[in-house]
Amino acid sequence: MKRNHWLLAVALPLLLLAGCGAKEPDPGAEAPTPTPAIQIEKPQSQVLHSTDSRSYYTQNTRYDLETMTARDWRPELPRGYQMTAEGPVSDGQALYFVLTRPGESSSKALGRVPLEGGEVQILYECGEHEQIGIAYTDGAGEYYKRPILLRSGERRCFLVNRWGEEEEDSTWLYAWDSASGTCEPVKRLGGHVRFWGEYQGRAVLRDSWEPEAGLFQLDAETGEMTVLLSSENAETSQFVLGPALLIRENFICVGSIFAQNPDGKERVYCLDLETGAVRQLASSDDGYLLVRVQDIWDGKLRVRGSEGYESELWYVDCSTGQKVKGMLADESGTPMHIRAQIGEYYLIDVESERWTKQLWINDQGEPVNSWVNQRGLALIAKEDYWAGRPDYQIFKWEGEQVP
């Protein structure tokens, strides 16, 4: 019999009740025993993400974890502005996102709107040759980048990258104070500093400018940066200078390119920051010319291999170097994509029953209408995902009948 999960998840301050994969009971079968209540505690991280204790957000959709429903989310923006492709991040009180104002000199701004709705507030508007720092903070390497917001008490900090002929390249830490409503520069962090992940709840920045190259942990409270890895260390310099970098949990994974290897092959390496162990996780010997790091979930690295039009996705255990088998996959055997993590659960992409009409041009240059299945989101226990059990609950659009 397929195992059913009834999860009672307490996510402060919200009681999240979701029956994952619940079906109509079989009159002739023994009733399943509910699992004990599972505490979902939000990690104490300075880095804000796309999920809070109640909802998950994309650019135009809110997924409610209390009701397991989805609805359109479209705040009224100030005149002349439009939201970029990046989705918002949440601090449990408000949403923060990047806006752009098209024109001859397109400018960007950081916007904020309370969770309960209301007027969009512009916290910071970029000047010429300025850009607000954005990066993959959820579902890395697959979906839209989001603004980098850091929690510092009641302040919300963000990065501003500057460049130009009159001023050297620089990255500044800015802070918006909710009490005063003002936004002020805190500290100049460096000339070639960018966000690359988080470790122990703090943002990890990389300075790619030799000889100062290194990885640094940024304390949003003080603006101080401490060395995590230095290019002066020959054993770990590849994790500082590597072109493809991913930092998640206590792992740093990096992909090398042809030019770095005498044999002309690509490889993926992983450094365990807790043990100091360095391990090769993938290479072009696995059957693909190119190998790329994608994401890390619970110590497992998602790798994409490609050659020509052929490609494949797989997971490798960062601690053992062994390929992960048996995880939840689609009909083609491709691991189902993880969007975000909520305690002991994942948000994953699944097929939905919603269809949308799409217009495209065929080889003869003629317009053709076709119906395309929209992807949906579902909530699944992590243990079920890695065991390959499709025991998940799909978010229903508001107004649809929930079985």
Side-chain angles (χ1 to χ4, degrees):
M1 183 197 302
K2 178 181 175 182
R3 184 166 64 91
N4 291 286
H5 269 283
W6 286 93
L7 63 96
L8 178 59
V10 181
L12 295 178
L14 170 72
L15 287 177
L16 172 76
L17 181 60
C20 288
K23 305 294 182 183
E24 291 295 328
D26 183 352
E30 182 181 352
T33 302
T35 58
I38 301 174
Q39 297 287 333
I40 295 183
E41 297 181 359
K42 187 175 180 61
Q44 297 301 310
S45 172
Q46 290 185 345
V47 183
L48 302 186
H49 293 276
S50 56
T51 307
D52 54 34
S53 60
R54 179 182 176 86
S55 301
Y56 170 79
Y57 295 89
T58 64
Q59 182 194 12
N60 51 26
T61 307
R62 174 195 171 195
Y63 296 86
D64 192 310
L65 297 167
E66 184 180 31
T67 63
M68 291 302 296
T69 58
R71 65 177 174 84
D72 288 335
W73 173 77
R74 300 179 187 277
E76 185 175 346
L77 304 178
R79 176 175 293 184
Y81 282 100
Q82 64 185 35
M83 191 179 299
T84 60
E86 296 84 30
V89 295
S90 172
D91 62 1
Q93 302 171 352
L95 298 175
Y96 303 82
F97 41 85
V98 175
L99 299 169
T100 185
R101 186 164 56 186
E104 293 183 2
S105 57
S106 177
S107 62
K108 292 189 176 183
L110 180 64
R112 176 186 186 273
V113 65
L115 287 180
E116 63 271 16
E119 185 178 347
V120 173
Q121 180 182 3
I122 302 297
L123 306 185
Y124 183 85
E125 186 168 8
C126 292
E128 190 175 5
H129 304 305
E130 283 190 347
Q131 185 173 4
I132 295 170
I134 56 176
Y136 295 113
T137 54
D138 299 287
E142 279 291 324
Y143 289 88
Y144 298 137
K145 295 180 179 180
R146 300 172 187 269
I148 302 162
L149 264 291
L150 308 176
R151 190 193 312 271
S152 171
E154 293 303 313
R155 301 191 310 171
R156 298 294 173 259
C157 300
F158 56 96
L159 305 180
V160 175
N161 304 316
R162 292 177 179 168
W163 69 95
E165 297 179 357
E166 298 182 358
E167 182 180 358
E168 294 182 356
D169 293 352
S170 60
T171 298
W172 284 79
L173 179 67
Y174 271 76
W176 174 76
D177 186 88
S178 60
S180 65
T182 60
C183 186
E184 300 290 343
V186 177
K187 188 176 183 180
R188 184 181 186 275
L189 302 178
H192 302 81
V193 174
R194 295 294 185 272
F195 175 90
W196 281 94
E198 61 179 295
Y199 178 58
Q200 296 178 335
R202 296 182 180 179
V204 176
L205 310 180
R206 178 173 73 167
D207 190 334
S208 59
W209 194 256
E210 296 187 80
E212 294 85 6
L215 296 179
F216 305 88
Q217 278 185 279
L218 172 65
D219 187 342
E221 298 283 350
T222 63
E224 295 298 320
M225 294 201 301
T226 56
V227 178
L228 185 61
L229 289 179
S230 171
S231 61
E232 296 178 357
N233 186 332
E235 295 180 356
T236 59
S237 61
Q238 61 184 321
F239 295 96
V240 174
L241 302 174
L245 191 67
L246 182 63
I247 305 170
R248 186 75 68 88
E249 302 168 9
N250 57 293
F251 297 103
I252 301 179
C253 294
V254 63
S256 63
I257 58 178
F258 299 125
Q260 294 174 299
N261 303 314
D263 57 6
K265 294 181 179 180
E266 291 202 342
R267 297 180 177 85
V268 173
Y269 297 94
C270 187
L271 167 65
D272 187 331
L273 289 170
E274 292 186 353
T275 66
V278 176
R279 188 181 300 275
Q280 179 178 304
L281 298 187
S283 76
S284 50
D285 289 329
D286 295 326
Y288 291 92
L289 183 65
L290 307 177
V291 287
R292 295 289 184 267
V293 297
Q294 288 260 301
D295 211 339
I296 299 174
W297 298 105
D298 288 295
K300 301 172 183 65
L301 171 70
R302 188 176 65 200
V303 179
R304 177 184 293 276
S306 60
E307 184 166 5
Y309 294 104
E310 299 293 328
S311 67
E312 182 185 357
L313 284 170
W314 67 91
Y315 280 98
V316 183
D317 191 303
C318 294
S319 297
T320 66
Q322 299 298 313
K323 279 192 175 182
V324 179
K325 298 180 180 180
M327 83 292 293
L328 191 62
D330 60 21
E331 294 180 355
S332 68
T334 301
M336 297 185 73
H337 179 254
I338 300 172
R339 286 281 196 102
Q341 178 175 330
I342 307 173
E344 294 301 310
Y345 301 87
Y346 291 138
L347 290 175
I348 60 174
D349 284 314
V350 296
E351 289 189 359
S352 73
E353 298 177 355
R354 292 174 61 88
W355 294 79
T356 183
K357 184 178 290 186
Q358 186 177 72
L359 176 67
W360 55 283
I361 306 299
N362 63 18
D363 294 338
Q364 287 73 43
E366 302 168 337
V368 177
N369 283 304
S370 62
W371 288 92
V372 179
N373 180 258
Q374 289 185 335
R375 304 293 291 177
L377 276 184
L379 186 69
I380 187 172
K382 292 196 297 185
E383 61 178 300
D384 286 334
Y385 180 89
W386 296 117
R389 292 186 289 261
D391 198 8
Y392 52 77
Q393 183 174 350
I394 299 176
F395 288 84
K396 299 291 184 179
W397 281 86
E398 286 187 349
E400 288 186 349
Q401 184 178 359
V402 179

